[in-house]
Amino acid sequence: QVQLVESGGGLVQAGGSLRLSCAASGRTFGTYALGWFRQAPGKEREFVAAISGSGGNLYYADSVKGRFTISRRSTENTVYLQMNSLKAEDTAIYYCAAGGRVSYYASLNLATVGSWGQGTQVTVSS
């Protein structure tokens, strides 16, 4: 089981930027995918971005391509989500997620997530 601790949410105006961080522990970093999902009020949790276990494959939802960037720092067992050009529709609770199985190349989806962070609120005012 991977433990995930998030930070970096907050309130920002439309067009602004935020960076989310997620520190992972409990399993060998680099042997599982890491990513971000979000859930807006009244909506289902949805995929945002993921980075494969190898770090060589990046995956994004169409709604955030070109605006969000996922990255990681292996020396700190941390994954980041840089969010630029934020829109009101990006308002949601953002959850860090880790794959439940050893995987070096695959992305994440709701069925393959093994661990969740506690969530961090991102609010974009228009």
Side-chain angles (χ1 to χ4, degrees), residues 1-120:
Q1 191 81 357
V2 176
Q3 290 77 48
L4 303 168
V5 179
E6 304 155 3
S7 60
L11 172 65
V12 64
Q13 289 189 334
S17 299
L18 281 175
R19 188 176 82 157
L20 306 182
S21 301
C22 175
S25 62
R27 282 169 53 198
T28 303
F29 196 80
T31 63
Y32 53 91
L34 282 165
W36 296 89
F37 290 71
R38 67 186 182 186
Q39 189 166 17
K43 295 188 176 181
E44 295 185 351
R45 193 169 297 190
E46 64 176 5
F47 171 78
V48 176
I51 184 166
S52 64
S54 69
N57 300 85
L58 307 180
Y59 303 89
Y60 296 97
D62 288 343
S63 58
V64 306
K65 278 181 184 176
R67 300 188 298 122
F68 291 11
T69 302
I70 189 168
S71 63
R72 72 181 195 186
R73 184 169 293 175
S74 298
T75 55
E76 297 179 355
N77 290 5
T78 300
V79 63
Y80 304 96
L81 185 69
Q82 178 66 43
M83 304 184 293
N84 298 329
S85 302
L86 282 160
K87 306 175 181 179
E89 51 263 44
D90 294 318
T91 295
I93 299 174
Y94 284 70
Y95 296 91
C96 183
R101 296 183 177 183
V102 173
S103 172
Y104 295 99
Y105 306 107
S107 182
L108 284 173
N109 58 56
L110 288 172
T112 61
V113 171
S115 302
W116 294 99
Q118 79 279 10
T120 185

